[in-house]
mmCIF file with all atom_site columns, all heavy atoms in Angstrom:
data_model
loop_
_atom_site.group_PDB
_atom_site.id
_atom_site.type_symbol
_atom_site.label_atom_id
_atom_site.label_alt_id
_atom_site.label_comp_id
_atom_site.label_asym_id
_atom_site.label_entity_id
_atom_site.label_seq_id
_atom_site.pdbx_PDB_ins_code
_atom_site.Cartn_x
_atom_site.Cartn_y
_atom_site.Cartn_z
_atom_site.occupancy
_atom_site.B_iso_or_equiv
_atom_site.pdbx_formal_charge
_atom_site.auth_seq_id
_atom_site.auth_comp_id
_atom_site.auth_asym_id
_atom_site.auth_atom_id
_atom_site.pdbx_PDB_model_num
ATOM 1  N N   . GLY A 1 39 ? -0.841  6.379  8.204   1.00 0.00 ? 842 GLY A N   1
ATOM 2  C CA  . GLY A 1 39 ? -0.854  4.992  7.994   1.00 0.00 ? 842 GLY A CA  1
ATOM 3  C C   . GLY A 1 39 ? -2.084  4.443  7.282   1.00 0.00 ? 842 GLY A C   1
ATOM 4  O O   . GLY A 1 39 ? -2.183  3.223  7.095   1.00 0.00 ? 842 GLY A O   1
ATOM 5  N N   . GLN A 1 40 ? -2.989  5.242  6.930   1.00 0.00 ? 843 GLN A N   1
ATOM 6  C CA  . GLN A 1 40 ? -4.237  4.841  6.302   1.00 0.00 ? 843 GLN A CA  1
ATOM 7  C C   . GLN A 1 40 ? -3.980  4.254  4.909   1.00 0.00 ? 843 GLN A C   1
ATOM 8  O O   . GLN A 1 40 ? -3.136  4.716  4.160   1.00 0.00 ? 843 GLN A O   1
ATOM 9  C CB  . GLN A 1 40 ? -5.169  6.037  6.117   1.00 0.00 ? 843 GLN A CB  1
ATOM 10 C CG  . GLN A 1 40 ? -6.495  5.706  5.452   1.00 0.00 ? 843 GLN A CG  1
ATOM 11 C CD  . GLN A 1 40 ? -7.429  6.945  5.431   1.00 0.00 ? 843 GLN A CD  1
ATOM 12 O OE1 . GLN A 1 40 ? -7.132  7.920  6.070   1.00 0.00 ? 843 GLN A OE1 1
ATOM 13 N NE2 . GLN A 1 40 ? -8.434  6.871  4.601   1.00 0.00 ? 843 GLN A NE2 1
ATOM 14 N N   . SER A 1 41 ? -4.614  3.141  4.563   1.00 0.00 ? 844 SER A N   1
ATOM 15 C CA  . SER A 1 41 ? -4.422  2.477  3.286   1.00 0.00 ? 844 SER A CA  1
ATOM 16 C C   . SER A 1 41 ? -5.402  3.092  2.253   1.00 0.00 ? 844 SER A C   1
ATOM 17 O O   . SER A 1 41 ? -6.531  3.258  2.489   1.00 0.00 ? 844 SER A O   1
ATOM 18 C CB  . SER A 1 41 ? -4.697  0.993  3.393   1.00 0.00 ? 844 SER A CB  1
ATOM 19 O OG  . SER A 1 41 ? -3.820  0.348  4.241   1.00 0.00 ? 844 SER A OG  1
ATOM 20 N N   . ILE A 1 42 ? -4.809  3.470  1.112   1.00 0.00 ? 845 ILE A N   1
ATOM 21 C CA  . ILE A 1 42 ? -5.569  4.005  -0.006  1.00 0.00 ? 845 ILE A CA  1
ATOM 22 C C   . ILE A 1 42 ? -5.378  3.145  -1.217  1.00 0.00 ? 845 ILE A C   1
ATOM 23 O O   . ILE A 1 42 ? -4.213  2.844  -1.610  1.00 0.00 ? 845 ILE A O   1
ATOM 24 C CB  . ILE A 1 42 ? -5.196  5.480  -0.281  1.00 0.00 ? 845 ILE A CB  1
ATOM 25 C CG1 . ILE A 1 42 ? -5.606  6.339  0.856   1.00 0.00 ? 845 ILE A CG1 1
ATOM 26 C CG2 . ILE A 1 42 ? -5.847  5.957  -1.631  1.00 0.00 ? 845 ILE A CG2 1
ATOM 27 C CD1 . ILE A 1 42 ? -5.308  7.866  0.603   1.00 0.00 ? 845 ILE A CD1 1
ATOM 28 N N   . CYS A 1 43 ? -6.439  2.750  -1.853  1.00 0.00 ? 846 CYS A N   1
ATOM 29 C CA  . CYS A 1 43 ? -6.348  1.859  -3.031  1.00 0.00 ? 846 CYS A CA  1
ATOM 30 C C   . CYS A 1 43 ? -6.296  2.750  -4.253  1.00 0.00 ? 846 CYS A C   1
ATOM 31 O O   . CYS A 1 43 ? -7.015  3.696  -4.403  1.00 0.00 ? 846 CYS A O   1
ATOM 32 C CB  . CYS A 1 43 ? -7.575  1.006  -3.080  1.00 0.00 ? 846 CYS A CB  1
ATOM 33 S SG  . CYS A 1 43 ? -7.598  -0.190 -4.466  1.00 0.00 ? 846 CYS A SG  1
ATOM 34 N N   . LEU A 1 44 ? -5.311  2.396  -5.119  1.00 0.00 ? 847 LEU A N   1
ATOM 35 C CA  . LEU A 1 44 ? -5.177  3.119  -6.384  1.00 0.00 ? 847 LEU A CA  1
ATOM 36 C C   . LEU A 1 44 ? -5.403  2.171  -7.589  1.00 0.00 ? 847 LEU A C   1
ATOM 37 O O   . LEU A 1 44 ? -5.279  0.979  -7.453  1.00 0.00 ? 847 LEU A O   1
ATOM 38 C CB  . LEU A 1 44 ? -3.736  3.762  -6.483  1.00 0.00 ? 847 LEU A CB  1
ATOM 39 C CG  . LEU A 1 44 ? -3.378  4.777  -5.440  1.00 0.00 ? 847 LEU A CG  1
ATOM 40 C CD1 . LEU A 1 44 ? -1.955  5.231  -5.642  1.00 0.00 ? 847 LEU A CD1 1
ATOM 41 C CD2 . LEU A 1 44 ? -4.357  5.980  -5.484  1.00 0.00 ? 847 LEU A CD2 1
ATOM 42 N N   . ILE A 1 45 ? -5.842  2.774  -8.689  1.00 0.00 ? 848 ILE A N   1
ATOM 43 C CA  . ILE A 1 45 ? -6.095  1.978  -9.916  1.00 0.00 ? 848 ILE A CA  1
ATOM 44 C C   . ILE A 1 45 ? -4.783  1.346  -10.311 1.00 0.00 ? 848 ILE A C   1
ATOM 45 O O   . ILE A 1 45 ? -3.718  1.933  -10.325 1.00 0.00 ? 848 ILE A O   1
ATOM 46 C CB  . ILE A 1 45 ? -6.588  2.948  -10.995 1.00 0.00 ? 848 ILE A CB  1
ATOM 47 C CG1 . ILE A 1 45 ? -7.915  3.554  -10.570 1.00 0.00 ? 848 ILE A CG1 1
ATOM 48 C CG2 . ILE A 1 45 ? -6.802  2.186  -12.321 1.00 0.00 ? 848 ILE A CG2 1
ATOM 49 C CD1 . ILE A 1 45 ? -8.302  4.781  -11.420 1.00 0.00 ? 848 ILE A CD1 1
ATOM 50 N N   . PRO A 1 46 ? -4.809  0.103  -10.742 1.00 0.00 ? 849 PRO A N   1
ATOM 51 C CA  . PRO A 1 46 ? -3.584  -0.607 -11.138 1.00 0.00 ? 849 PRO A CA  1
ATOM 52 C C   . PRO A 1 46 ? -2.845  0.121  -12.255 1.00 0.00 ? 849 PRO A C   1
ATOM 53 O O   . PRO A 1 46 ? -3.496  0.715  -13.087 1.00 0.00 ? 849 PRO A O   1
ATOM 54 C CB  . PRO A 1 46 ? -4.100  -1.973 -11.625 1.00 0.00 ? 849 PRO A CB  1
ATOM 55 C CG  . PRO A 1 46 ? -5.406  -2.165 -10.936 1.00 0.00 ? 849 PRO A CG  1
ATOM 56 C CD  . PRO A 1 46 ? -5.958  -0.766 -10.803 1.00 0.00 ? 849 PRO A CD  1
ATOM 57 N N   . GLN A 1 47 ? -1.505  0.063  -12.229 1.00 0.00 ? 850 GLN A N   1
ATOM 58 C CA  . GLN A 1 47 ? -0.717  0.727  -13.224 1.00 0.00 ? 850 GLN A CA  1
ATOM 59 C C   . GLN A 1 47 ? -0.969  0.122  -14.626 1.00 0.00 ? 850 GLN A C   1
ATOM 60 O O   . GLN A 1 47 ? -0.851  0.779  -15.661 1.00 0.00 ? 850 GLN A O   1
ATOM 61 C CB  . GLN A 1 47 ? 0.772   0.712  -12.895 1.00 0.00 ? 850 GLN A CB  1
ATOM 62 C CG  . GLN A 1 47 ? 1.049   1.409  -11.627 1.00 0.00 ? 850 GLN A CG  1
ATOM 63 C CD  . GLN A 1 47 ? 2.568   1.378  -11.256 1.00 0.00 ? 850 GLN A CD  1
ATOM 64 O OE1 . GLN A 1 47 ? 3.384   1.362  -12.179 1.00 0.00 ? 850 GLN A OE1 1
ATOM 65 N NE2 . GLN A 1 47 ? 2.876   1.461  -10.027 1.00 0.00 ? 850 GLN A NE2 1
ATOM 66 N N   . SER A 1 48 ? -1.225  -1.259 -14.713 1.00 0.00 ? 851 SER A N   1
ATOM 67 C CA  . SER A 1 48 ? -1.488  -1.867 -15.989 1.00 0.00 ? 851 SER A CA  1
ATOM 68 C C   . SER A 1 48 ? -2.568  -2.923 -15.736 1.00 0.00 ? 851 SER A C   1
ATOM 69 O O   . SER A 1 48 ? -2.549  -3.556 -14.683 1.00 0.00 ? 851 SER A O   1
ATOM 70 C CB  . SER A 1 48 ? -0.253  -2.446 -16.591 1.00 0.00 ? 851 SER A CB  1
ATOM 71 O OG  . SER A 1 48 ? 0.232   -3.506 -15.773 1.00 0.00 ? 851 SER A OG  1
ATOM 72 N N   . PRO A 1 49 ? -3.508  -3.042 -16.610 1.00 0.00 ? 852 PRO A N   1
ATOM 73 C CA  . PRO A 1 49 ? -3.635  -2.363 -17.892 1.00 0.00 ? 852 PRO A CA  1
ATOM 74 C C   . PRO A 1 49 ? -3.993  -0.925 -17.683 1.00 0.00 ? 852 PRO A C   1
ATOM 75 O O   . PRO A 1 49 ? -4.113  -0.461 -16.519 1.00 0.00 ? 852 PRO A O   1
ATOM 76 C CB  . PRO A 1 49 ? -4.735  -3.136 -18.550 1.00 0.00 ? 852 PRO A CB  1
ATOM 77 C CG  . PRO A 1 49 ? -5.615  -3.634 -17.466 1.00 0.00 ? 852 PRO A CG  1
ATOM 78 C CD  . PRO A 1 49 ? -4.652  -4.020 -16.360 1.00 0.00 ? 852 PRO A CD  1
ATOM 79 N N   . SER A 1 50 ? -4.120  -0.197 -18.782 1.00 0.00 ? 853 SER A N   1
ATOM 80 C CA  . SER A 1 50 ? -4.470  1.254  -18.664 1.00 0.00 ? 853 SER A CA  1
ATOM 81 C C   . SER A 1 50 ? -5.817  1.442  -18.032 1.00 0.00 ? 853 SER A C   1
ATOM 82 O O   . SER A 1 50 ? -6.633  0.478  -17.966 1.00 0.00 ? 853 SER A O   1
ATOM 83 C CB  . SER A 1 50 ? -4.468  1.836  -20.086 1.00 0.00 ? 853 SER A CB  1
ATOM 84 O OG  . SER A 1 50 ? -5.536  1.324  -20.854 1.00 0.00 ? 853 SER A OG  1
ATOM 85 N N   . TRP A 1 51 ? -6.090  2.667  -17.640 1.00 0.00 ? 854 TRP A N   1
ATOM 86 C CA  . TRP A 1 51 ? -7.384  2.940  -17.014 1.00 0.00 ? 854 TRP A CA  1
ATOM 87 C C   . TRP A 1 51 ? -8.538  2.661  -17.990 1.00 0.00 ? 854 TRP A C   1
ATOM 88 O O   . TRP A 1 51 ? -9.517  1.965  -17.589 1.00 0.00 ? 854 TRP A O   1
ATOM 89 C CB  . TRP A 1 51 ? -7.416  4.476  -16.625 1.00 0.00 ? 854 TRP A CB  1
ATOM 90 C CG  . TRP A 1 51 ? -8.829  4.996  -16.425 1.00 0.00 ? 854 TRP A CG  1
ATOM 91 C CD1 . TRP A 1 51 ? -9.485  5.875  -17.215 1.00 0.00 ? 854 TRP A CD1 1
ATOM 92 C CD2 . TRP A 1 51 ? -9.717  4.634  -15.369 1.00 0.00 ? 854 TRP A CD2 1
ATOM 93 N NE1 . TRP A 1 51 ? -10.737 6.088  -16.699 1.00 0.00 ? 854 TRP A NE1 1
ATOM 94 C CE2 . TRP A 1 51 ? -10.883 5.368  -15.569 1.00 0.00 ? 854 TRP A CE2 1
ATOM 95 C CE3 . TRP A 1 51 ? -9.636  3.764  -14.297 1.00 0.00 ? 854 TRP A CE3 1
ATOM 96 C CZ2 . TRP A 1 51 ? -11.982 5.211  -14.730 1.00 0.00 ? 854 TRP A CZ2 1
ATOM 97 C CZ3 . TRP A 1 51 ? -10.716 3.654  -13.387 1.00 0.00 ? 854 TRP A CZ3 1
ATOM 98 C CH2 . TRP A 1 51 ? -11.901 4.377  -13.630 1.00 0.00 ? 854 TRP A CH2 1
#
Side-chain angles (χ1 to χ4, degrees):
Q843 178 179 347
S844 297
I845 291 183
C846 184
L847 297 180
I848 299 164
Q850 296 182 28
S851 65
S853 67
W854 161 250

